[in-house]
Structure formats: C-alpha cells, structure tokens
Amino acid sequence: MISVCHVITDTNFGGAGRVLLNYCKTYNRADFRLSVVLPRGSELLEPLRQTDVELIEADGLYDRSYSREDVRNLAVIFRQHVFQLIHAHGALSARLAARKCGIPVIYTRHSVFDPPRRATRFPIRQIQGFFNNRYADGIIAVSPAAKEILAATGSDPRKIRVIYNGVPPLEPGPGVYRARFSWGPKDLVLGIVARLEEVKGHHDLLNALALLPEPIKLLIAGTGAQEAALKAQCRALQLEKRVVFCGFVQDVAGLMNSLDVQINASYGTEATSMALLEGFSLGIPAVVTDFGGNPYVVESGVNGLVVPKRDPHAMARAIERLWEEPGLRKQLGAGARAAYAQRFRAEMMTRQTEEYYREVLKQYG
C-alpha cells in the first residue's frame, strides 16, 4: 500500500481542484492510500468529503504557493503521518517541506500562459529551473503546451510527464436551457464555460456573434470580473435576446446537453479545458482558439475547428460553417466522442498518474 499526500492551496473550487477530485474518485484503492492537505474552509472540502480520502485542514496555505510558515506547518504534518510520496498541485511550500522531510515529491503544472521574455532568459530561467529541478522528483504537465513552457523556463524536460486531464462522462439528457428559452432545432446554441476574465476571450466571442445570423444563440456560464463589461458589450451590440448569462452552473450536464457547439476563445491562459472534455463525452464539437493546450485537445476537422486567437472574424466563419453544415457538425461530434473515449477519460488520467508515482518512487530508491 503506497501512501500519497496531495497538497492544494486553492480556497476556491477551480480547475486544479476538479482534477484532484476526479482522481480521488477513481484511484486504485487496492494499492494506494490517499490524504489531501488543503486550506481550512476551502470550497473543495465538501466535494472531497463525498470520497473516502483522508482530509487534513491546515491553517495558512490560502491561495499562495510559498511562505515560510506554510513550509514549517506542512513539514509538521508530513512528519506526523507516514507518507511515501507528496503530490503538490503547484505549491512550492509543499515541495520544500517534502525535501525537508526526505520524502519524494511530484508536482503538477495545471496552467498554461505565455511567460514574460525575461523568464526564458538568464538569470531568471536558471533560477526557476533550479527550484523546479531541485524541489521535484517528477513534474506532471496537463498539456504538451505546459511542458513546453516548463522547459522554456528552465525545467529539465526529462523530468516532465504529460498526463492529460480526465473527466467522468456526462449523462445525456434534456437540454434544460433550450427548453427554458424556447430555442428550437433551427437554432444553433453555442456555449462557453469559463471564468469571466479578460484572457478567456469572451469579448472576442461576442464580437464574433454580432457578425452571425440571429438563430445562433450563446450561453455564457461562469462568473468573474468582466461580467458587467460583457453585459454592457451585449447591450451595445444589441445581443441581449441572443445571449444568456448563466452565472455559476451546478447542473453542468443540463447546460452541456443544451449545446450544439462549445466555444473556447482563450488567448492568455488555457491548459486542458475540463469543459471541453465534458462536452466531448456527449459528442459536442468545439470551436477553439489556437492558444495554449487547445490545439492538443481539438484537432481541426476531426473533433472541432481551430481558429487564430483574438480573431472574431475567423471565429465567426468557423461557427457559421457549423451552422450551415449540419453533416459536418455531426461528423465532428462523433470525433469528439471518440477523442474522449480514447484520451480523456478520468480512469486514463488516474492510471497514468499512478504509473508515474511508481516510476518516481522506484527512481528515488
């Protein structure tokens, strides 16, 4: 029995938390014993309580990668328990504490963003590379794009293993949002599931929608700092009757079953979108920008269409093509379902992660 402790510092229930939760639901209980250290009062606590993993609430940690206090507190926790491996979800404090206690450590890079140029040059590249190489026995990148950035900023590529995020399949069912707004079979319903932040590209998507025919509708799921600005843009573009702001959506299946096409318009941060994978499980094709991990998930012409980032006209042309060609939409939907089955199931992510655990422990001696 291998005892693994995950450390996550997020107080919100974001992408890293969803990846961890999916792992906790599908891990090999015959070979592994799991614990999770997380901030006291984190939003992730309640979902994790529905699993059988040991939960350790810690003071501090709150949404920060490093503090001396966190290193000290985590070292105490690690010494009080018999952990054979630490898995840090970004948290540098956990990596330093693991080293302090002589425990092998893996960390996952969940994000992809364009690093500043100075981060890829001397001496910042060497400093970052030192910390990543010295304080990790293995690194998981959730996308080849994440691995490329890690290598460009100094991490040893030989230490990096690409393991895509995996999700449980959504259940097919009624499209509750289509019914709620009386959208019929002649309407093409788009959906974007993302934080309402500048870099997620919602403004570009609204500009694209303004170029498209009236039967094309849009559901926007999520909350964030850009909500007021996006609603103002809708009014300015006279899109109020075609766009619905859904806020935070708990019934993800109900939302996804309402969609014909999913959109990802990111241009500043995107690794392996969990929402895209959930849509794939239902056979929903996607139109995405060519940023970050998107092109590694969506193969243009196979399970969706890829367009240049920050190009509303290109986005509009791709969406209009899927509206005008239902046969193509059906074909891409079948490709999306096949991609999910072959690459993005939660069980696949779990199996690959546990294989990597064993490799790292074997190398550690």
Side-chain angles (χ1 to χ4, degrees):
M1 184 74 72
I2 300 171
S3 177
V4 179
C5 177
H6 289 256
V7 180
I8 185 166
T9 64
D10 295 352
T11 56
N12 68 328
F13 187 16
R18 293 181 66 197
V19 173
L20 176 56
L21 179 62
N22 288 339
Y23 175 70
C24 291
K25 290 179 177 179
T26 54
Y27 78 96
N28 180 351
R29 286 153 178 81
D31 293 345
F32 292 88
R33 185 174 70 251
L34 290 190
S35 302
V36 176
V37 176
L38 71 174
R40 195 175 302 280
S42 170
E43 293 177 3
L44 189 54
L45 271 168
E46 192 55 40
L48 282 174
R49 286 194 179 109
Q50 310 306 311
T51 71
D52 59 359
V53 304
E54 177 189 29
L55 300 179
I56 304 170
E57 293 185 71
D59 295 317
L61 298 182
Y62 302 110
D63 297 315
R64 61 193 183 198
S65 179
Y66 168 76
S67 83
R68 290 183 180 180
E69 178 187 2
D70 291 346
V71 175
R72 288 193 298 269
N73 292 341
L74 288 169
V76 170
I77 292 171
F78 295 166
R79 289 190 178 111
Q80 287 174 342
H81 297 74
V82 183
F83 297 133
Q84 293 164 270
L85 180 69
I86 304 299
H87 187 155
H89 293 271
L92 178 59
S93 293
R95 289 179 264 164
L96 294 172
R99 276 288 181 265
K100 191 174 182 180
C101 297
I103 306 171
V105 59
I106 287 173
Y107 96 91
T108 293
R109 173 68 174 263
H110 290 281
S111 60
V112 172
F113 51 85
D114 288 329
R117 291 184 64 185
R118 66 180 183 278
T120 63
R121 297 180 175 183
F122 179 86
I124 303 300
R125 182 178 188 274
Q126 283 67 24
I127 294 170
Q128 291 181 146
F130 169 79
F131 276 99
N132 283 342
N133 297 326
R134 173 67 180 84
Y135 296 104
D137 298 290
I139 302 171
I140 294 174
V142 300
S143 167
K147 179 176 181 177
E148 291 164 7
I149 290 173
L150 283 163
T153 53
S155 296
D156 184 349
R158 294 170 298 180
K159 279 193 170 186
I160 306 170
R161 178 69 54 87
V162 175
I163 300 177
Y164 286 103
N165 292 338
V167 299
L170 295 180
E171 290 293 328
V176 295
Y177 285 86
R178 295 189 84 106
R180 184 178 303 170
F181 298 104
S182 301
W183 293 337
K186 293 185 178 181
D187 292 306
L188 184 78
V189 181
L190 314 175
I192 181 169
V193 182
R195 301 187 320 274
L196 305 187
E197 304 296 341
E198 188 79 30
V199 294
K200 291 298 185 177
H202 296 82
H203 291 288
D204 295 333
L205 176 55
L206 290 177
N207 285 331
L209 186 66
L211 303 171
L212 292 165
E214 191 276 337
I216 300 178
K217 310 297 196 293
L218 173 63
L219 297 173
I220 297 177
T223 60
Q226 288 294 307
E227 183 170 351
L230 289 166
K231 288 180 176 178
Q233 184 181 4
C234 275
R235 291 191 294 271
L237 295 173
Q238 299 181 337
L239 295 173
E240 301 103 307
K241 294 182 179 180
R242 298 170 58 193
V243 177
V244 175
F245 287 85
C246 306
F248 176 76
V249 174
Q250 289 188 321
D251 181 13
V252 176
L255 174 77
M256 289 291 183
N257 278 293
S258 301
L259 304 185
D260 297 301
V261 179
Q262 192 175 174
I263 306 294
N264 184 300
S266 293
Y267 63 85
T269 176
E270 198 64 64
T272 298
S273 165
M274 307 282 277
L276 287 180
L277 309 187
E278 289 171 331
F280 276 16
S281 77
L282 291 171
I284 300 171
V287 175
V288 304
T289 56
D290 57 1
F291 179 81
N294 281 344
Y296 296 101
V297 174
V298 177
E299 185 176 353
S300 203
V302 176
N303 51 27
L305 299 174
V306 180
V307 301
K309 65 181 181 182
R310 311 253 35 208
D311 190 338
H313 286 84
M315 178 74 73
R317 287 193 297 270
I319 294 168
E320 189 166 30
R321 184 182 175 194
L322 294 182
W323 181 57
E324 293 175 342
E325 301 180 40
L328 174 62
R329 197 164 70 241
K330 183 178 179 180
Q331 173 189 326
L332 297 180
R337 187 174 282 107
Y340 170 78
Q342 295 164 9
R343 300 171 59 201
F344 301 120
R345 290 181 293 112
E347 295 82 1
M348 297 180 67
M349 174 191 73
T350 297
R351 185 179 69 249
Q352 293 169 18
T353 299
E354 291 175 348
E355 287 173 356
Y356 194 41
Y357 287 169
R358 292 186 177 96
E359 287 181 32
V360 169
L361 286 170
K362 185 177 180 180
Q363 293 169 5
Y364 194 80

